[in-house]
Amino acid sequence: MPISPLLLRADEAPEPRTLVDIFRATVAAHPDTLALDNGRETLTYAALADAADDIADALVAVGVERGDRVGVRIPSGTTDLYIAILGILAAGCAYVPVDHDDPDERARVVFGEAGVAAVVTADLVVRATAGTIPDSGVREDPDLTDDAWIIFTSGSTGTPKGVAVTHRNAAAFVDAESLMFLQAAPIRPGDRVMAGLSVAFDASCEEMWLAWRYGACLVPAPRSLVRSGVDLGPWLIAN
């Protein structure tokens, strides 16, 4: 059976790259554009990049190396949550998120199963896990084959299971979306994208990178607000 011409379009795919490559390209193009606004604090792309670099340096200082896994457990709706995620990626590591409101037992299981080398918690506190040796090594950018994130299932049918996504695949997803959706009026700098999903749920990656791929502003909403339902409409209008 002949192959449809619609399937023979590999040459139209964007060049492989990492999420760090995508973010840095946006920072270079729109350094003074708002990247984060949670209603109390705003960060431009340049400021967000600087804050993420600080976290990456802090991770290296406690002994985290490229390819390691780093846990994240920070309250929703905060700018710190997204600074931590970008900092972990900038350090060449995979982030392993746990919802801040989840029981401590969930965090112990997820971080234990993932074998995290460090955890970033509220107020951007970086804590190395047992066995991680402090170092003053050099930061390394992630490779295409390095994992970008490991997100665990709910565990409703047993022990939670982690699903790893490489930078190559994550970036390909982000770039593909930028070509598929809103073609007539693409998202652009100055637009605002709501982040209402838990970062422990993989669809949150779509929210983050729909904003950051285009130079738009990510607007995090607290999980309590999203769950309330009745308060969400007025919040969307106000923001």
Side-chain angles (χ1 to χ4, degrees):
M1 179 181 295
I3 299 175
S4 168
L6 291 175
L7 299 178
L8 300 176
R9 300 171 63 188
D11 58 324
E12 297 181 31
E15 286 296 315
R17 54 180 179 162
T18 68
L19 291 178
V20 173
D21 293 332
I22 290 176
F23 183 69
R24 286 177 180 165
T26 302
V27 172
H30 310 289
D32 299 322
T33 300
L34 279 187
L36 265 178
D37 178 3
N38 73 344
R40 298 178 302 277
E41 182 182 7
T42 61
L43 288 171
T44 64
Y45 273 95
L48 179 56
D50 287 342
D53 281 339
D54 288 343
I55 294 299
D57 290 339
L59 288 167
V60 172
V62 300
V64 173
E65 300 177 343
R66 176 192 145 204
D68 282 343
R69 296 143 180 198
V70 177
V72 183
R73 196 181 186 195
I74 297 176
S76 63
T78 63
T79 56
D80 285 354
L81 177 59
Y82 300 95
I83 291 170
I85 288 172
L86 285 169
I88 292 166
L89 294 174
C93 302
Y95 73 92
V96 184
V98 170
D99 196 300
H100 186 264
D101 298 330
D102 281 350
D104 291 343
E105 178 59 23
R106 164 82 178 180
R108 282 193 291 271
V109 169
V110 167
F111 294 157
E113 288 287 321
V116 298
V119 178
V120 185
T121 56
D123 298 320
L124 295 175
V125 174
V126 175
R127 176 177 55 82
T129 57
T132 304
I133 301 173
D135 192 8
S136 57
V138 178
R139 264 175 54 189
E140 291 186 69
D141 286 344
D143 190 85
L144 292 174
T145 58
D146 288 330
D147 292 332
W149 65 72
I150 302 175
I151 293 180
F152 278 71
T153 62
S154 65
S156 57
T157 59
T159 303
K161 299 172 181 63
V163 179
V165 174
T166 65
H167 273 275
R168 181 188 186 112
N169 289 342
F173 171 73
V174 171
D175 280 331
E177 277 202 324
S178 73
L179 299 174
M180 292 171 60
F181 296 109
L182 299 173
Q183 293 179 355
I187 297 171
R188 62 190 186 278
D191 285 341
R192 297 164 70 81
V193 178
M194 173 185 168
L197 297 171
S198 167
V199 295
F201 178 46
D202 55 5
S204 65
C205 307
E206 184 173 20
E207 295 176 328
M208 286 185 272
W209 293 99
L210 271 177
W212 296 336
R213 167 64 170 74
Y214 288 99
C217 182
L218 189 71
V219 186
R223 295 285 294 140
S224 57
L225 175 80
V226 177
R227 292 192 185 104
S228 74
V230 67
D231 298 321
L232 185 56
W235 182 92
L236 286 167
I237 294 170
N239 285 275

